[in-house]
Amino acid sequence: MTMSRETPINLVLAALLFAMPFAALALDEPFYVTLATHMAVLALAAVGLNLALGLGGLVSFGHAAFFGLGGYAAGILSTHVLNMQPLLTWPLEIGASDQMPVIWLVAIAVSGLVALAIGAISLRTSGVYFIMITLAFAQMIYYFAISWPAYGGEDGLSIATRGAFPGVNTAVPLTFFLVCYAVLVAVLVLFALVRDSRFGAALQASRQNETRLAAVGIGPFPVRLAAFVLSAMITALAGALYADLNRFASPSMLSWQMSGELIVLIILGGTGRLFGPVAGAMLFVLIESVLGGLTERWQFFLGLILLGVVLFARGGLIGLVAGKPRHG
Amino acid sequence: MAEPVLSIRELRKNFGALKATDNVSLDLRPGEIHALIGPNGAGKTTLIHQISGAIRPDSGAIEFLGEDVGALGMAARARKGLGRSFQISSLASEFSALRNVMLAVQAAQGSSFRFFKPVMHDTSLTEPALAVLERVGLAQRARLPAAELSHGERRKLEIAIALALGPKAFLFDEPMAGMGPEGSKDLTGFLDGLRREAPILLVEHDMDAVFALADRISVLVYGRIIATGTVDEIRRDPEVRRAYLGEHA
Ligand SMILES: Nc1ncnc2c1ncn2[C@@H]1O[C@H](COP(=O)(O)OP(=O)(O)OP(=O)(O)O)[C@@H](O)[C@H]1O
Ligand SMILES: [Mg+2]
C-alpha cells in the first residue's frame, strides 16, 4: 500500500474510533462503547457495499439482504445452540455452533451463494434497472423472513448469548468492540489490496468505461459478479456482528431503509475511498445519537447534510479533506 | 496468395429503414494496410463496431484467423487478437495513461482475477506499458489522468492500448482525426512500420495518409462497397471520384 494524501486522515479516523470506547470508559460513559461498536460494524457493512458501489459503480439498493442474512445466520445458529438442535439433519447432520468464526463463515458462505444468484440476474441490467432489481430481491428476502414463524417472523430472533470468540470474553462490551474493530481493520486492508490489484484495476475500469474494458478483452460481467459477491460477503459479516451486538436479528436489518442507509453512509464519507465508509458511519451514528437525542426529526437534518454533500462536496468527507483520488 | 487474416462476408446491418451496412464483403491480408474510406455517415464506424463485436450484424459472417467469430462478444474477440481504437477516444478517464495501457497488458496476459498483488509494483505490467507509451511518444505524460491529456495525446493513447494487446489485426477508426498536420505526418510514419506487426484495417478521412499508406482501399458509400483496389485503381475509378474523391483526387 502506498502513502497518499488520504493516509493521514485515514489514520486519524482509525485512531479516533479506536480511542472512543477507552475514553468512554475513562469518563464512565459505557454507552459510548456500544456507540463505537455500532460505528465499527456499520462501517464494515459499508466497506462491503463500497467495493461494489465505489469501485465498481454498482449501485446496489439491496445490500440489506446480505446484512440481514448475516444477522439471521448469527440468530439462527444461536437459537439452535440454545435449543440444542442440529442445524441440518439431512443430507448430513451439521451441528450448530456459538463460535463467532463459525457464525461468520456461515454468514459469508450463505450470502455469497445468494449474491451469486442475485448478481447473475441483476448484473444483466444497469442503471436504474439494476437499482430496482436489487431492491426487489432484497424485498423478497425481507418478506420471506417476516413470514417464516420458525425463525421469529415479524418479531425477529433474539440471541440469548453473544457468540463466543476463542480466548476472549465477548460479553464484555470493550472486548466485543475490539473484535469488531479488528475485523474492520482486516477488511480495510483487504479492500485496499483488492483495489490496487489487477482485479481492482479491471473493476474500476468497468465503472469508468465498460466498452474500453471489453475492447482490451476483459468481459465486464464476470468482474462485476465477483465484486458483487465479495461485497455481499463483507456486508454479511457485518450483519452477523450487528446481530451479536444487539443480541437480536431483526427483520429491519433486511429492510430497504437499511440498504438506503448504507448508500448514505458511503456518500457522506466518500464514494470509493478506503475510509469513506468509516468516516460516513462515524458521522452518521454521531448525527443519529446527538441530533436524535434533541429532536425526533433528526433525519430531516441528516437530509440537509446529505444535500450539502451531494451539492457541494461530491467526494464526501474524505474528498473534502484529501481532494480527488489519484490512481497512479 | 496467403489466407486473409480477417474476412467479412455479406454483412448487413439496418438501423430501422437505414441500410448502414449493405452486403459488405472485404478481407484483410497479412502485412497489409487496407484503408476504408467514404463520406460521413457511410457506415465505416458501424462496420468496425460489427467486426470488433460492439454491435451485432443482422446477417453475414465474420471470419478471423480462419474461425467464425460471429457468435463471440467484444471481449472474446479482443482476446482472439482484434485490437481496435475508437473514433471518439474511449478511455478509462480517471486512470493515468500508464494505467490505461497496463490494463491492456494485464488483459493480454489473461489474468484479471488476481486480488492481492498491487499493479503499480508489478513490473511485468508497468515495464511493457511504459515501453509502449515510449513508442507512441507519450512516456513523458504517462502519469497524467487520461482526462487531462490533450486531444492528440488521447488519440495516441488509443493506439498505445491497441498496441499493448499485441493483436493479430488492428482496427483503427480515424486515428488521425483532429491530430493536426504535424501529428498526422508522425502517425503516418508510425502506422507504416506497424503493418509489419499486424495488418491494419484503417478508417481514415485524411487522404494524404490513406494514399501514402494503403496497400488496398475500399470505398464505402451508403453502406455499400462501391470499389476495392490499389491506390491507383481507386484514384482513377470514375464512380469513386463522383461519390467521394472528387475534391481529393
Ligand atoms: N446506433 C445507431 N442507431 C441508428 N442509426 C445509427 C446508429 N449508429 C449509426 N447510425 C447511422 O448509421 C449511419 C452510419 O454511421 P457511421 O457512424 O457508421 O458512419 P461513418 O461512416 O463512421 O461516418 P463518419 O465518417 O462521420 O464517422 C449514419 O447515418 C448514422 O446516423
Ligand atoms: Mg465513423
Side-chain angles (χ1 to χ4, degrees):
Chain A
M1 264 172 283
T2 45
M3 275 291 275
S4 67
R5 276 180 302 167
E6 253 172 271
T7 312
I9 168 154
N10 293 352
L11 291 176
V12 168
L13 286 170
L16 271 180
L17 183 57
F18 185 77
M20 195 171 149
F22 292 97
L25 289 177
L27 298 170
D28 206 21
E29 294 271 8
F31 166 71
Y32 286 94
V33 179
T34 306
L35 207 69
T37 315
H38 197 93
M39 288 174 176
V41 173
L42 274 188
L44 180 64
V47 173
L49 179 58
N50 200 27
L51 196 95
L53 193 158
L55 298 185
L58 305 171
V59 185
S60 166
F61 198 15
H63 258 50
F66 310 122
F67 193 62
L69 281 174
Y72 272 82
I76 290 172
L77 280 171
S78 138
T79 308
H80 280 261
V81 168
L82 188 69
N83 303 337
M84 291 187 293
Q85 294 164 332
L87 199 58
L88 267 187
T89 49
W90 191 90
L92 67 172
E93 185 162 315
I94 299 178
S97 169
D98 65 347
Q99 293 295 311
M100 278 190 186
V102 176
I103 295 171
W104 298 346
L105 277 180
V106 172
I108 288 171
V110 171
S111 65
L113 284 175
V114 173
L116 195 62
I118 293 181
I121 297 168
S122 314
L123 289 167
R124 311 229 167 253
T125 66
S126 62
V128 172
Y129 297 100
F130 180 76
I131 296 175
M132 286 300 130
I133 200 164
T134 48
L135 170 65
F137 276 117
Q139 289 299 93
M140 281 164 59
I141 294 176
Y142 172 77
Y143 284 109
F144 182 74
I146 61 172
S147 57
W148 196 11
Y151 290 120
E154 293 194 40
D155 298 332
L157 262 180
S158 50
I159 294 176
T161 42
R162 190 174 281 162
F165 194 88
V168 301
N169 181 4
T170 55
V172 178
L174 181 64
T175 308
F176 184 63
F177 167 81
L178 291 172
V179 169
C180 295
Y181 188 84
V183 172
L184 174 62
V185 169
V187 170
L188 284 170
V189 170
L190 179 79
F191 181 95
L193 285 173
V194 168
R195 178 195 59 190
D196 296 341
S197 71
R198 293 183 180 214
F199 175 78
L203 180 60
Q204 292 169 78
S206 78
R207 167 174 53 80
Q208 295 171 48
N209 187 340
E210 67 174 317
T211 310
R212 167 44 70 199
L213 190 66
V216 298
I218 303 173
F221 181 79
V223 172
R224 287 177 172 150
L225 186 56
F228 190 75
V229 170
L230 191 57
S231 154
M233 287 171 160
I234 296 171
T235 301
L237 176 59
L241 288 169
Y242 190 80
D244 255 342
L245 168 65
N246 300 320
R247 301 217 175 117
F248 187 54
S250 149
S252 71
M253 289 178 73
L254 291 159
S255 67
W256 64 267
Q257 288 93 335
M258 187 69 225
S259 296
E261 201 170 302
L262 291 178
I263 296 177
V264 168
L265 292 187
I266 291 181
I267 294 174
L268 277 180
T271 313
R273 312 302 281 265
L274 177 60
F275 268 67
V278 180
M282 289 174 74
L283 184 67
F284 184 89
V285 174
L286 210 64
I287 296 172
E288 186 179 24
S289 68
V290 173
L291 288 180
L294 299 176
T295 162
E296 294 258 293
R297 299 184 183 78
W298 69 275
Q299 300 229 11
F300 172 79
F301 295 97
L302 176 69
L304 280 186
I305 293 174
L306 196 61
L307 204 64
V309 167
V310 171
L311 289 179
F312 304 112
R314 279 287 178 82
L317 275 180
I318 303 283
L320 213 53
V321 180
K324 275 195 188 173
R326 301 287 303 183
H327 290 284
Chain B
M1 194 195 306
E3 282 289 298
V5 173
L6 176 70
S7 169
I8 294 150
R9 294 284 158 260
E10 296 172 15
L11 214 61
R12 291 174 202 272
K13 176 78 190 174
N14 294 345
F15 292 121
L18 177 80
K19 291 180 174 172
T21 305
D22 186 5
N23 198 22
V24 167
S25 300
L26 66 81
D27 53 27
L28 184 65
R29 298 172 191 153
E32 79 167 342
I33 293 182
H34 189 152
L36 185 64
I37 62 172
N40 290 105
K44 305 179 293 295
T45 297
T46 303
L47 187 59
I48 297 285
H49 279 334
Q50 290 168 87
I51 299 171
S52 71
I55 60 178
R56 303 253 147 197
D58 296 337
S59 66
I62 300 167
E63 255 186 38
F64 181 53
L65 302 171
E67 188 187 340
D68 184 351
V69 295
L72 301 180
M74 189 166 177
R77 290 186 206 188
R79 285 196 293 275
K80 293 252 177 240
L82 273 174
R84 73 164 289 184
S85 75
F86 292 85
Q87 180 174 0
I88 297 166
S89 297
S90 180
L91 303 161
S93 55
E94 294 170 23
F95 277 175
S96 63
L98 179 63
R99 290 207 65 173
N100 270 278
V101 180
M102 282 167 64
L103 194 67
V105 175
Q106 147 182 347
Q109 291 177 2
S111 54
S112 285
F113 284 86
R114 292 196 202 156
F115 294 85
F116 301 115
K117 191 172 179 188
V119 287
M120 294 316 288
H121 299 294
D122 186 343
T123 49
S124 71
L125 293 177
T126 51
E127 277 173 10
L130 276 169
V132 168
L133 286 172
E134 188 81 52
R135 275 185 75 189
V136 302
L138 276 181
Q140 305 303 319
R141 311 284 278 168
R143 301 280 169 168
L144 253 75
E148 289 173 26
L149 297 176
S150 73
H151 174 80
E153 287 167 341
R154 286 213 290 275
R155 306 300 302 153
K156 284 186 190 165
L157 184 52
E158 281 271 334
I159 307 265
I161 293 170
L163 223 56
L165 293 173
K168 308 263 174 33
F170 289 104
L171 309 170
F172 287 145
D173 195 353
E174 299 197 29
M176 322 268 177
M179 289 274 263
E182 203 49 40
S184 296
K185 230 179 93 220
D186 286 353
L187 193 55
T188 303
F190 185 78
L191 295 183
D192 198 16
L194 193 59
R195 81 180 95 194
R196 282 192 294 275
E197 283 172 45
I200 304 170
L201 183 61
L202 177 69
V203 173
E204 192 47 69
H205 276 299
D206 180 336
M207 282 306 130
D208 293 335
V210 167
F211 291 147
L213 286 171
D215 298 293
R216 289 188 299 151
I217 299 175
S218 291
V219 185
L220 198 66
V221 178
Y222 293 123
R224 269 187 340 105
I225 293 195
I226 60 167
T228 296
T230 62
V231 171
D232 282 340
E233 286 162 2
I234 293 300
R235 288 180 106 143
R236 283 196 305 265
D237 189 301
E239 197 184 350
V240 174
R241 297 180 76 109
R242 183 157 31 77
Y244 181 56
L245 276 185
E247 71 272 32
H248 296 286

